[in-house]
Amino acid sequence: DAKTTQPPSMDCAEGRAANLPCNHSTISGNEYVYWYRQIHSQGPQYIIHGLKNNETNEMASLIITEDRKSSTLILPHATLRDTAVYYCIVRVALDTGRRALTFGSGTRLQVQP
Amino acid sequence: DAGVTQSPTHLIKTRGQQVTLRCSPKSGHDTVSWYQQALGQGPQFIFQYYEEEERQRGNFPDRFSGHQFPNYSSELNVNALLLGDSALYLCASSLEGREKAFFGQGTRLTVV
């Protein structure tokens, strides 16, 4: 799986959009970008994944650059409950059952009131 | 749907002892993975079970072993506990061929 680089920490004001960047310059053509988050003392939670098109679900939006070397997870209206560590993971999608998730250090997002 | 459940939630053991952690996967899921998360770090993959067999393994010693039962539930066993085994142990379940993994709340193991 390709290596990812994320800033160690970020702050965001409550109600504003949180934009979390991830660099994955060595991504291969068949690798997807996944995002998970981990709220304090809980297990990681799946957020979203994508290949090359932008994706949106009820939790977040994922913007992937045209060259696929970087991506941004967007939480459109951050709340205090979004305070968590966010992990960007690159992997081949459909073998989730055959290969482990490789977590880095992630970005610690602190949403400020 | 109860999701992924792990037991116990907290555990204190003495160096040299053995411990067994348990995981019940999300309903309908057939694959269980175990992760170790030390304080301040991301989860590290231990191993994965599918069809009652260990399918892949991370960089962990043989002191770490596991089992999957016919109902897909799983156990993680750690022998000869070391202080460095103190961590949050996470279980994740998924369905063969599907993209998402679902994690339990974890078991906090403290070795003294």
Side-chain angles (χ1 to χ4, degrees):
Chain A
D1 297 332
K3 180 179 170 61
T4 62
T5 303
Q6 299 178 253
S9 63
M10 295 181 63
D11 286 344
C12 176
E14 189 177 19
R16 304 295 296 269
N19 297 287
L20 293 93
C22 179
N23 183 287
H24 32 79
S25 58
T26 61
I27 192 170
S28 301
N30 63 343
E31 289 183 311
Y32 286 65
V33 179
Y34 277 78
W35 285 83
Y36 280 76
R37 74 178 181 183
Q38 187 172 23
I39 296 170
H40 183 63
S41 296
Q42 296 183 23
Q45 176 191 25
Y46 167 87
I47 302 174
I48 198 167
H49 76 281
L51 181 63
K52 52 185 175 182
N53 297 320
N54 298 338
E55 302 287 344
T56 296
N57 63 20
E58 66 279 3
M59 291 184 67
S61 294
L62 174 60
I63 309 297
I64 303 174
T65 58
E66 191 169 343
D67 63 7
R68 303 209 322 121
K69 292 184 177 182
S70 65
S71 60
T72 301
L73 178 73
I74 301 172
L75 308 178
H77 305 286
T79 71
L80 298 178
R81 290 179 296 178
D82 292 321
T83 293
V85 178
Y86 287 77
Y87 296 99
C88 171
I89 299 168
V90 171
R91 58 179 288 113
V92 177
L94 292 180
D95 70 347
T96 294
R98 295 187 179 87
R99 294 178 65 181
L101 293 165
T102 302
F103 290 86
S105 300
T107 295
R108 184 172 300 277
L109 176 68
Q110 180 70 51
V111 180
Q112 306 285 357
Chain B
D1 183 2
V4 181
T5 58
Q6 294 186 241
S7 62
T9 55
H10 296 82
L11 199 54
I12 299 176
K13 289 287 190 179
T14 304
R15 276 180 301 175
Q17 285 189 316
Q18 179 264 343
V19 68
T20 298
L21 310 181
R22 294 176 176 83
C23 172
S24 293
K26 184 177 170 65
S27 178
H29 284 187
D30 56 9
T31 302
V32 173
S33 302
W34 287 92
Y35 292 79
Q36 179 195 66
Q37 186 173 26
L39 202 60
Q41 299 182 20
Q44 299 298 306
F45 174 70
I46 303 175
F47 44 53
Q48 181 181 88
Y49 278 85
Y50 172 70
E51 293 188 341
E52 303 180 49
E53 292 194 358
E54 184 182 292
R55 183 158 61 176
Q56 54 174 316
R57 187 180 183 92
N59 189 26
F60 279 81
D62 292 344
R63 297 187 298 109
F64 290 77
S65 64
H67 189 77
Q68 185 179 35
F69 299 94
N71 66 352
Y72 306 121
S73 67
S74 177
E75 290 182 348
L76 164 65
N77 300 291
V78 187
N79 294 323
L81 284 167
L82 305 174
L83 295 179
D85 295 331
S86 295
L88 179 68
Y89 287 84
L90 294 160
C91 170
S93 77
S94 55
L95 185 61
E96 174 71 3
R98 302 298 293 271
E99 300 88 349
K100 300 181 191 177
F102 293 79
F103 284 79
Q105 299 281 68
T107 293
R108 173 72 61 187
L109 173 66
T110 302
V111 182
V112 297

